[in-house]
Amino acid sequence: MPVILTKNRIEQLFEEKKENILSVYFTAGFPKLEDTAKIVKYLENSGADIIEVGIPFSDPVADGPTIQESNKTALDNGISLKLIFEQLSDIRKEVKIPLILMGYINPVLQYGVEAFCKKCVEIGVDGFILPDLPLQEYLDEYKTIFERYGLLNIFLITPQTSDARIRRIDNNSRGFIYMVSLAGTTGAKGDISEDQVNYFKRVKKMNLNNPALIGFGISNKLTFNRACAHASGAIIGSAFINVLKNSKNLEKDISGFIKSVKGIQ
Amino acid sequence: MKIAVDERGYYGNFGGAYIPEMLYPNVEELRQNYLSILNDEGFRKDFDHLLKTYVGRPTPLYFAKRLSERYQAKIYLKREDLCHTGAHKVNNTIGQILLAKRLNKKNIIAETGAGQHGVATATVCALMGMECIVYMGEIDMERQKPNVERMRILGTEVRPATSGSKTLKDATNEAMRHWINNPVDTHYIIGSVVGPHPYPDMVARFQSVISEEIKWQLKETEGLESPDYVIACVGGGSNAAGAFYHYYENDDVKLIAVEAAGLGNETGKSAATTTLGKPGVLHGSRTLLMQTKDGQVVEPYSISAGLDYPGIGPVQAHLFESGRAKFYSATDEEAMKAGILLSRLEGIIPAIETAHALAALEKMTFSKDDVVVLNLSGRGDKDLETYIKWGRY
């Protein structure tokens, strides 16, 4: 029988911390194959609140150029879901913050949904973000399995998502809602526009059951702070991938970047 | 056997709408409206009118006498190669552009591999005065230069897909990304019976005109609506879906699908998805998919750029799994020979995609009275360079 945590780390975090939560995405096996566990540790040490470990896929349709390229590099490096699990097998000896696996559904299907969940519990993964697993398919075929293992599935909403659907997603969510900041794929787009702020306000007014984190286009202190004004926190992905890509010293550069985003000297 | 999409968008175990939330409103808008639009009398009238006066339908059902003598059966060719733009693809683009207009869309995007669907899309966009962007793999643009220029002449912007393997699957990724970034006012014309529900069903309905015509044409010549065999090649599967459509529920009609085996299924250089693929999710549906054991999509190979796709439509996957259709595969070599043979026997140079369907005749045994309809999905003009390179004629 799988070990079921009494309280999921993600839910616990949101109970304890209500604002300025920083979630950071990176691609497993990037920039070097063996960097996965190191980056997780450095992120926790630097003050990240949640870590999203990306499972690389050959065809990441929801991602912009930066994350596409990191997926390709990681796959060329030889990463696989099996290897990610090996790399993270001892991670809970050192890392306490919530860990989320993020990726497309096909590698999970080939691994086997049940086996995947089992392994996640063993390692201490808390939940998933699977952008191409829509709500209906989740409810029909995955929900029961994920819940049996105490794993949370995080859903996305976008500026085009209707209020009714946001409600439906909220009612079927635990942990938090991933609020995609704009109509687009991942990657920095500059500042946050008036339209985006109106959308953040519209969602805030809905008083959802779940807290929300804002992602897509969050790249620095300015955009992080602006997002945090409208939600419990924000998610950085592509901008962090660029830091990793250009880094000669991962520990120092990760710490420098996270501190600059959080405004810590 | 009943072969129809269910309420959730599945054919048996295959189908669905595995799309990121960003695409949900677009796909949902289509799902809610496509049947009422397709069944609308005004729409049908416009569609039929354009098929008749612009595409040149009905296409002939031609009795291929010398080919019949060769294979000792009564072989008919459904001449989709005589459609405007040279292949069946335009049946779908006409349908979708009319649908896009009714949904008040202003811009059209499409993906293309060999360029046939791209040209068919560029054509209907010119016809309707709509802005059009076609994504095409950088490598395919190099391989299919004349079609790139055809699209440009028609006023379409051709954008290279430079990610991944730079072929059809990546062009499809780029088109989906474009749609994510432009969710309002843009309609994505998918070129085959692939993608999230309702695309596979919608495209099949537009292509079903092929078997609709076969039925009455065969009645005229043979006195019966149903042949013993219907044969079609399968890349994504749209021409097969169209040729099979009205025969799904008539189990007396044997449905034969032919995939591309490239250099041979054992060589790893193949595109025969039902032989080499496993269930998986790509481009919005659960289907059979060529992939590694880690679930990474494998780049297929075929001499025919139109069959060079790592998946097949969910309906084709279901036809395979249920046994309703029998699947063959033909190698580059077998297809090229079959293409040359048809040229010599009937004076028709087929598209290399279609030549794969013809190659199946060599692998099958018929009784003399068997009535066989082979869907001649496209003409070979676009493939002249490949024929020339092949050289053995």
Side-chain angles (χ1 to χ4, degrees), chain A residues 56-63 68 75 80 106-107 109-110 131-132 134 137 140-141 156 158 160 165 183-185 216, chain B residues 8 10 16-22 24-25 163 169 173 177 180-181 183 279-281 286 291 293-297:
Chain A
F57 184 47
S58 51
D59 297 84
V61 288
D63 286 299
Q68 283 173 43
L75 290 171
S80 65
N106 198 51
L109 281 176
Q110 301 316 312
D132 61 345
E137 262 74 13
D140 292 345
E141 293 179 42
L156 275 55
T158 82
Q160 271 72 43
R165 186 162 169 88
T185 45
F216 285 41
Chain B
R8 297 166 57 235
Y10 282 81
Y18 292 82
I19 42 162
E21 190 61 31
M22 292 79 109
Y24 180 83
S163 59
K169 125 185 131 61
N173 292 341
R177 287 179 188 123
I180 289 173
N181 281 288
V281 170
R286 184 160 73 197
Q291 52 187 317
K293 62 179 186 336
D294 300 319
Q296 307 299 337
V297 181

Side-chain angles (χ1 to χ4, degrees), chain B residues 71 231-232 256-258 328-330 334 338 355-366 374:
Chain B
Y71 291 111
I231 306 176
I256 308 294
V258 189
Y328 287 86
S329 65
E334 292 165 336
H356 286 74
L358 290 159
L361 293 171
E362 203 66 52
K363 300 163 189 268
M364 299 169 65
T365 41
F366 302 104
L374 189 143

Side-chain angles (χ1 to χ4, degrees), chain A residues 17 19-23 49 192 214 217-230 232-236 258 260-263:
Chain A
K17 193 167 173 179
E19 54 188 13
N20 299 323
I21 290 175
L22 173 61
S23 182
D49 298 296
I192 288 171
I214 295 173
I218 311 300
S219 59
N220 51 26
K221 180 167 182 277
L222 175 76
T223 42
F224 178 70
N225 286 342
R226 293 201 65 184
C228 286
H230 303 284
S232 302
I235 301 164
I236 296 187
I258 299 302
S260 81
V261 169
K262 296 187 96 174

Side-chain angles (χ1 to χ4, degrees), chain B residues 283-324:
Chain B
H283 296 149
S285 60
R286 184 160 73 197
T287 187
L288 290 171
L289 187 61
M290 289 171 60
Q291 52 187 317
T292 67
K293 62 179 186 336
D294 300 319
Q296 307 299 337
V297 181
V298 166
E299 192 53 31
Y301 164 79
S302 164
I303 193 166
S304 146
L307 302 180
D308 200 350
Y309 184 71
I312 47 173
V315 67
Q316 305 300 344
H318 180 55
L319 289 172
F320 173 74
E321 195 185 64
S322 65
R324 176 65 189 93

Side-chain angles (χ1 to χ4, degrees), chain B residues 148-162:
Chain B
V148 174
E149 296 313 320
R150 283 170 87 189
M151 287 186 266
R152 287 180 176 151
I153 290 169
L154 292 160
T156 279
E157 182 189 345
V158 184
R159 288 194 185 165
T162 56

Side-chain angles (χ1 to χ4, degrees), chain A residues 57-77:
Chain A
F57 184 47
S58 51
D59 297 84
V61 288
D63 286 299
T66 305
I67 292 180
Q68 283 173 43
E69 204 188 304
S70 69
N71 275 243
K72 188 168 188 312
T73 305
L75 290 171
D76 290 345
N77 287 344

Side-chain angles (χ1 to χ4, degrees), chain B residues 70-89:
Chain B
R70 163 107 186 182
Y71 291 111
Q72 293 294 300
K74 292 161 120 175
I75 302 175
Y76 287 85
L77 302 176
K78 180 58 176 163
R79 298 292 308 274
E80 292 301 296
D81 60 317
L82 295 177
C83 287
H84 178 43
T85 73
H88 71 289
K89 291 286 183 190

Side-chain angles (χ1 to χ4, degrees), chain B residues 120-134:
Chain B
T121 305
T123 300
V124 297
C125 286
L127 179 69
M128 296 291 170
M130 284 172 89
E131 292 287 320
C132 180
I133 297 170
V134 171

